[in-house]
Amino acid sequence: MITLHKNIATTIIFLVLIRMFWRYTHPVPKLPDTMSPLMQKFAHVGHLMLYLMLLALPITGCLFSWSAGHPAPVLYLFEIPRLVQDNPELLAIVKPLHIYLSWFAGLLILGHAGAALKHHFIDKDNVLLSMLKQK
Ligand code: HEM
Ligand code: HEM
């Protein structure tokens, strides 16, 4: 299971870099004016935290594996070159970091998806549909 987890999760590093390039070159839809400035700020901070998780989780995951003396494989095709060797001191930091961050990210994603559903079914605005079409 751990090997499967690594082979899938390492792809996030490449996908998030593509996404960040895309985000930089393509503006996202504006949030609806019905949202207060504070709520809009809250949404932007939430999205920033999601991006931070998408970077921090694969980075701490790779450091976790390398410092424990294991590889970081990608889709069973190749391995990310090892940037650190076996290192118990680093392992003691990145192991709990990876585990706590992963659970925090899980909560963040649940809140994020819940907010998207609230926009659609309770506020009945365009936020969820803006994932599909620009308006
Ligand atoms: C978006 C990316 C990732 C997410 C969401 C994620 C999530 C998780 C979660 C939920 C756990 C279990 C935590 C627990 O024990 O409570 C875990 C463990 C682990 N992850 Fe990741 N991870 C990601 C990326 C990676 C990467 C890229 C690697 C290494 C190449 C990696 C290596 C590991 C290892 C070695 C464990 C510990 C397994 C064990 O000893 O039980 N992770 N990860
Ligand atoms: C059921 C699952 C999900 C739904 C319904 C959903 C829905 C949405 C919606 C409607 C937006 C647009 C908000 C806006 O207009 O500002 C959005 C943005 C975003 N979502 Fe999700 N999302 C889901 C899962 C995820 C997951 C799993 C992640 C990452 C781990 C994620 C990361 C993001 C990020 C980073 C943004 C901000 C995009 C940007 O500003 O560049 N979402 N999501």
Side-chain angles (χ1 to χ4, degrees):
M1 284 307 285
I2 296 173
T3 303
L4 180 67
H5 167 67
K6 291 187 196 180
N7 275 285
I8 296 172
T10 42
T11 62
I12 298 284
I13 299 174
F14 306 98
L15 294 173
V16 77
L17 289 178
I18 296 170
R19 168 63 200 175
M20 282 163 74
F21 174 74
W22 189 264
R23 172 69 156 84
Y24 188 66
T25 52
H26 294 73
V28 289
K30 227 175 122 299
L31 288 171
D33 296 330
T34 43
M35 283 175 76
S36 68
L38 183 70
M39 245 333 157
Q40 298 203 12
K41 186 98 213 142
F42 193 61
H44 288 143
V45 171
H47 295 156
L48 187 69
M49 293 214 292
L50 284 165
Y51 277 118
L52 288 179
M53 290 305 119
L54 289 169
L55 290 168
L57 280 168
I59 291 173
T60 54
C62 287
L63 292 174
F64 178 0
S65 294
W66 291 330
S67 61
H70 300 291
V74 183
L75 292 177
Y76 297 95
L77 294 175
F78 62 97
E79 286 173 7
I80 301 182
R82 272 176 82 149
L83 299 179
V84 293
Q85 298 306 318
D86 302 24
N87 186 334
E89 286 100 41
L90 182 65
L91 180 64
I93 299 169
V94 289
K95 180 176 177 172
L97 204 56
H98 186 71
I99 292 173
Y100 283 115
L101 282 181
S102 66
W103 286 97
F104 173 71
L107 292 178
L108 202 61
I109 291 167
L110 277 183
H112 174 70
L117 293 177
K118 179 197 175 270
H119 275 283
H120 192 69
F121 290 108
I122 298 178
D123 303 336
K124 298 192 192 319
D125 60 23
N126 197 43
V127 168
L128 183 60
L129 294 177
S130 73
M131 292 284 293
L132 301 175
K133 56 182 196 300
Q134 300 272 347
K135 202 184 153 202

